[in-house]
Amino acid sequence: MSQNEARFLTMYEQIKDPNNGYFSPEGIPYHSIETLLSEAPDYGHMTTSEAYSYWLWLETLYGYFTGNWTPLEDAWDNLETYILPINEGDGVEEQPTMSYYNPASTATYAPEHPYPDMYPSMLGNSVQAGSDPLDAELTATYGDNETYLMHWLIDVDDWYGYGNTLNPSHTATYVNTFQRGEQESVWEAITHPSQDDFSFGKTGEGFVSLYVAEGAAPAPQWRYTAATDADARAVQVMYWAQQMGYNNPTYLDKAKKMGDYLRYGMYDKYFQEIGSASDGTPTPGTGKNASHYLMSWYTAWGGGLGDMGSGNWAWRIGSSHAHQAYQNTVAAYALSQGGLIPESATAQEDWQLSLERQLEFYTWLLSAEGGVGGGATNSVGGDYSSYPVGISTFYDLAYDEDPVYHDPPSNTWFGFQTWPLERVAEYYYILASNGDTSTTNFQMAKEVINKWIDWSIDYTFVNEKPLTDSDGYFLDSNGDQILGGLDPDVATEPDPGQFYILGGQEWSGQPDTWNGYENFTGNPNYHVIAKNASQDVGVLGNYIKALTFYAAGTKAETGDFTALGNQAKDMAEQLLNIAWNFNDGIGIVTEEQRADYYRYFEKEIYFPDGWTGTFGQGNTIPGTGGIPSDPSKGGDGVYISHHELRPEIKNDPNWSYLEDLYNTSWNAVTETWDNGTPTFKYHRFWSQVDMATAYAEFDRIIGDTTPTAPSAPTGVTALPDDGEVNLSWNNVFNADNYIVKRSANSGGPYTTIANNVTLTSYIDSTVTNGTTYYYVV
């Protein structure tokens, strides 16, 4: 067993060990072992569709090394039970009124707004929704239109206290957070039930009236949101499982079905014709002219609670905003030509077009240095405003530097580089391995990944620390900021036993308007500045996989590693080796300073004037501790803090540490931590799987490159004959040749009689009959 395979299996056991706390009693992976955590999930013991897709990845590599695919199937079964809201055959309808959906009238329009303070958003008819061209096809294929996609967020232990309304036998509960525009950060969101029967929230309105308003009182309802990158990752992983020998059609067909429904992520939010809103007057789509064929940020669907007295109705939306981080060329390849083609009549051609469109999207967003930028939208401002003068476009979509959210800006985290570009590296490797190197798709993938690897590796360091200033800019040997450019001269200092990768980036300019790959300009006016050295282990694992697949791709394409391929391979191996030193027996972790944790205490969560209700943890919201909201942000209500909304957070074992540090270190005037920054170690599920699978993938596609001395052969035999001795032995798998030695005395000394023996046998014909000889090989 190689070193990297052993490390993978060690991490697998660490993650699956019940004593280590990665899984709930219902077998659901937590977002993190630790609970005091706020990022996308606002509590560590929530989980996401992202975590489930990573669980599938973990079990796929386990199946590859052990031949045991049962854990992969068990993971998918758990996914169907707890995060994919369908009737699993237990008679519980988790989409109880989806059959009443009218594809000719998909949803009622509600504009997006810049600030949470401007919500609820008024439902109205100023934009008429277009028609849904997929519903009839999917219903014909599967017998119903029950959406086969994961809801992105669940409260695993029902910490929020809402309970699972439609399936009360489950502890895990469907919840949601972000619903109030591009400035709504996790610190401003209100976690609410996705199955809202008005048991909580405002009397007679639940939580619905925080988000949308209408002339009549809202009805009790269910609503789910799929994050397209997670479902696409699940398909991607099942493609690799199939390539590694997994062949159970039952579960492969489930992946195909998920990919079939994932096409809703290709559609504008209200099914408006792509590009029609450039002048501020969108046109309802017909057929597939509302599809941008990219993976947008989400797709969502919902309806009345039916028998609970809320009526029989349903709706569906896509998303107008496409971020490069959510694209998945491997999933698109699998669903169009890679063995997971869905059953619906037009699914294959949709995914074929999506594959090409995604590769064009990456190329369009490729900066002059090599980083890949944000994305594009079909609805500027989320309300179909006119396109800004001079804005670059991609198939009539408007360039958007930070699609979807702005607090923090959505294109400043390096993880949103490694996630999508690792998939491009995989796709490059797949095509190169298949000898498919002449297509335009291959050329685009190669150009993007070549340039991105070359850029990112310049900011990757082992056993040395790059020098940065107080703003996070890298410094050169003269102490000057490095503000872009090729082949930067980053100053470093020795730091044995440590690694550093990029933490983030900032952008200037914009890409040139897309006019086909044959006219690609290289974007001379579009630039990325690398910022902040990071030890994020999840991003590290994903980055190592990008380096690994890229290196293997260069060898598959050219017959040997290219110079940059060799550099990527060596860097991946160095990072794998040094990361192992950070394994604490539960997983690979580093200390994280969370300077943003002062926001646990700041009053930022908005409630409209007069809105009051009951939260799941039993407290009245907003309660009595609110402060007046900022009228410049459009509201007339109050703000409360993160912990005032969620009083149970004060019972967390790490709360007193954080609260004491806030009281003694946080300087509200300078907005700095003067006497220590909150510091944590987090065992995030996805991060641990990314590291575990980094070891596995390096072993699988590159192999063990560490030179080791072969062991001595076993099974050595010596058969005497007239004037000769016939020697034989067992093969040693990593031996180039063998050396045969002989002595007339047991125990030697031995004299070499043959070098460079390439077979597992040798005839010694320099012997004398009647003499005893002793041999070693």
Side-chain angles (χ1 to χ4, degrees):
M1 181 185 295
S2 73
Q3 175 176 266
N4 285 321
E5 179 186 351
R7 286 173 172 175
F8 165 73
L9 292 173
T10 297
M11 289 199 71
Y12 181 89
E13 294 302 325
Q14 289 172 343
I15 294 168
K16 297 298 289 289
D17 185 343
N19 295 318
N20 289 342
Y22 284 101
F23 289 83
S24 79
E26 289 178 314
I28 299 168
Y30 292 122
H31 175 69
S32 171
I33 291 176
E34 298 77 18
T35 49
L36 187 65
L37 177 150
S38 184
E39 37 200 33
D42 52 28
Y43 183 68
H45 277 194
M46 303 180 88
T47 203
T48 60
S49 53
E50 168 193 280
Y52 267 95
S53 66
Y54 270 100
W55 186 13
L56 297 175
W57 207 338
L58 179 73
E59 302 299 0
T60 290
L61 271 301
Y62 181 76
Y64 168 75
F65 283 112
T66 67
N68 180 7
W69 296 102
T70 299
L72 174 62
E73 295 175 356
D74 290 344
W76 196 287
D77 290 342
N78 189 283
L79 174 157
E80 273 195 339
T81 301
Y82 294 110
I83 202 167
L84 207 163
I86 59 170
N87 181 348
E88 301 110 29
D90 57 2
V92 176
E93 293 288 352
E94 295 184 322
Q95 301 177 40
T97 53
M98 197 64 214
S99 61
Y100 294 94
Y101 170 62
N102 179 3
S105 180
T106 54
T108 303
Y109 173 67
E112 298 171 15
H113 301 290
Y115 293 101
D117 309 49
M118 301 173 75
Y119 286 77
S121 183
M122 182 62 67
L123 294 170
N125 297 315
S126 59
V127 173
Q128 292 291 328
S131 60
D132 172 357
L134 299 181
D135 184 71
E137 181 179 284
L138 291 164
T139 301
T141 302
Y142 300 107
D144 59 49
N145 62 352
E146 188 177 60
T147 305
Y148 195 80
L149 295 172
M150 292 182 279
H151 175 66
W152 83 279
L153 184 66
I154 55 177
D155 178 8
V156 177
D157 296 334
D158 194 27
W159 183 73
Y160 278 101
Y162 295 125
N164 193 313
T165 300
L166 292 174
N167 200 339
S169 66
H170 291 176
T171 300
T173 303
Y174 294 102
V175 293
N176 213 338
T177 50
F178 310 110
Q179 300 284 297
R180 298 192 292 184
E182 63 193 17
Q183 285 289 345
E184 186 186 35
S185 72
V186 68
W187 305 106
E188 297 155 290
I190 300 169
T191 308
H192 57 277
S194 295
Q195 300 165 355
D196 194 346
D197 65 354
F198 299 173
S199 295
F200 300 94
K202 188 175 183 178
T203 301
E205 298 178 5
F207 288 88
V208 178
S209 56
L210 286 173
Y211 306 108
V212 294
E214 53 186 312
Q221 57 191 262
W222 57 273
R223 48 192 182 268
Y224 306 119
T225 301
T228 61
D229 71 321
D231 296 82
R233 187 183 292 111
V235 174
Q236 169 195 352
V237 168
M238 294 304 283
Y239 163 79
W240 282 116
Q242 189 177 43
Q243 298 304 303
M244 296 175 201
Y246 179 68
N247 59 7
N248 186 336
T250 299
Y251 291 88
L252 294 175
D253 286 349
K254 292 176 186 290
K256 296 176 185 178
K257 183 176 182 179
M258 182 173 284
D260 218 346
Y261 277 92
L262 187 57
R263 289 185 291 161
Y264 277 115
M266 300 177 185
Y267 281 82
D268 175 74
K269 183 173 183 178
Y270 293 102
F271 293 83
Q272 299 299 292
E273 184 178 339
I274 302 302
S276 66
S278 61
D279 62 356
T281 56
T283 301
T286 57
K288 295 188 178 182
N289 63 6
S291 177
H292 42 62
Y293 292 98
L294 299 169
M295 287 290 91
S296 64
W297 198 256
Y298 59 81
T299 179
W301 66 107
L305 284 172
D307 293 340
M308 296 185 179
S310 61
N312 293 320
W313 50 277
W315 55 267
R316 186 189 299 281
I317 58 174
S319 173
S320 305
H321 315 306
H323 198 298
Q324 60 86 15
Y326 271 32
Q327 310 311 303
N328 192 320
T329 50
V330 178
Y333 173 79
L335 294 165
S336 61
Q337 54 191 277
L340 291 179
I341 298 170
E343 294 182 17
S344 290
T346 65
Q348 182 177 15
E349 63 188 66
D350 283 351
W351 280 109
Q352 185 66 50
L353 180 54
S354 178
L355 174 59
E356 181 179 2
R357 192 67 54 88
Q358 289 183 44
L359 289 163
E360 290 181 284
F361 197 55
Y362 283 127
T363 310
W364 176 58
L365 294 168
L366 184 64
S367 67
E369 288 78 11
V372 178
T377 183
N378 194 51
S379 179
V380 170
D383 61 0
Y384 299 103
S385 292
S386 299
Y387 288 7
V389 175
I391 197 73
S392 174
T393 58
F394 174 84
Y395 284 98
D396 296 323
L397 300 170
Y399 170 66
D400 189 343
E401 181 176 307
D402 298 301
V404 186
Y405 64 87
H406 291 179
D407 183 11
S410 69
N411 201 30
T412 57
W413 178 51
F414 186 56
F416 273 178
Q417 296 286 306
T418 61
W419 276 355
L421 273 299
E422 188 270 335
R423 297 187 282 261
V424 175
E426 285 187 30
Y427 178 70
Y428 166 65
Y429 168 74
I430 291 167
L431 293 193
S433 298
N434 292 340
D436 184 7
T437 59
S438 61
T439 62
T440 301
N441 281 2
F442 176 81
Q443 296 304 320
M444 286 191 286
K446 180 180 177 180
E447 179 161 358
V448 169
I449 198 60
N450 266 342
K451 199 165 184 179
W452 186 82
I453 291 288
D454 194 24
W455 167 71
S456 62
I457 211 168
D458 287 336
Y459 298 95
T460 306
F461 308 90
V462 175
N463 293 319
E464 57 180 1
K465 183 177 183 179
L467 301 186
T468 58
D469 65 14
S470 58
D471 294 318
Y473 292 102
F474 289 89
L475 303 177
D476 64 19
S477 56
N478 297 318
D480 296 326
Q481 293 177 335
I482 298 172
L483 303 177
L486 303 176
D487 301 319
D489 173 28
V490 181
T492 63
E493 61 185 17
D495 199 0
Q498 299 296 320
F499 70 89
Y500 298 93
I501 58 175
L502 262 178
Q505 53 282 320
E506 64 182 45
W507 306 86
S508 64
Q510 64 175 2
D512 292 339
T513 288
W514 184 252
N515 192 27
Y517 181 59
E518 66 277 8
N519 298 309
F520 177 54
T521 65
N523 289 326
N525 300 310
Y526 187 43
H527 297 283
V528 62
I529 299 172
K531 289 187 69 176
N532 298 314
S534 169
Q535 292 190 317
D536 187 322
V537 297
V539 178
L540 174 68
N542 202 246
Y543 183 53
I544 291 170
K545 285 187 282 190
L547 295 170
T548 299
F549 276 101
Y550 171 74
T554 67
K555 184 175 183 180
E557 180 189 4
T558 67
D560 202 355
F561 298 109
T562 64
L564 185 58
N566 249 322
Q567 190 180 357
K569 174 179 66 67
D570 292 346
M571 181 60 74
E573 190 162 27
Q574 290 179 60
L575 291 168
L576 286 170
N577 288 333
I578 208 159
W580 195 251
N581 298 327
F582 292 87
N583 194 313
D584 66 356
I586 300 175
I588 293 177
V589 289
T590 57
E591 288 190 339
E592 299 179 32
Q593 290 192 339
R594 292 301 301 261
D596 62 326
Y597 273 13
Y598 75 92
R599 297 182 76 173
Y600 268 109
F601 305 91
E602 300 298 291
K603 294 180 184 293
E604 301 184 72
I605 302 171
Y606 176 75
F607 286 89
D609 181 46
W611 198 100
T612 185
T614 304
F615 199 59
Q617 294 181 350
N619 50 308
T620 298
I621 49 176
T624 59
I627 62 172
S629 64
D630 180 354
S632 69
K633 294 182 178 180
D636 60 355
V638 297
Y639 298 135
I640 67 171
S641 70
H642 191 280
H643 69 81
E644 287 173 313
L645 179 68
R646 312 161 176 84
E648 283 296 321
I649 199 69
K650 289 195 168 189
N651 294 321
D652 191 276
N654 284 319
W655 180 258
S656 60
Y657 157 74
L658 178 62
E659 187 173 41
D660 290 347
L661 196 60
Y662 176 77
N663 290 331
T664 58
S665 179
W666 176 248
N667 187 325
V669 177
T670 62
E671 296 188 341
T672 57
W673 295 88
D674 293 343
N675 299 303
T677 304
T679 302
F680 295 86
K681 285 186 176 181
Y682 285 122
H683 298 79
R684 296 177 184 85
F685 184 84
W686 75 265
S687 296
Q688 299 309 312
V689 175
D690 248 338
M691 278 307 311
T693 53
Y695 290 107
E697 294 289 35
F698 191 92
D699 182 87
R700 183 175 74 90
I701 67 172
I702 289 182
D704 190 353
T705 62
T706 305
T708 56
S711 58
T714 59
V716 179
T717 61
L719 299 176
D721 203 346
D722 185 19
E724 62 184 27
V725 175
N726 294 292
L727 301 163
S728 64
W729 53 88
N730 295 330
N731 180 57
V732 177
F733 85 94
N734 60 336
D736 293 327
N737 51 67
Y738 302 88
I739 299 170
V740 180
K741 297 183 178 184
R742 186 182 71 191
S743 176
N745 301 301
S746 176
Y750 293 94
T751 300
T752 298
I753 60 172
N755 280 305
N756 299 318
V757 178
T758 58
L759 303 176
T760 55
S761 61
Y762 177 75
I763 297 176
D764 179 10
S765 56
T766 61
V767 294
T768 301
N769 287 344
T771 304
T772 300
Y773 296 95
Y774 301 87
Y775 294 90
V776 292
V777 182

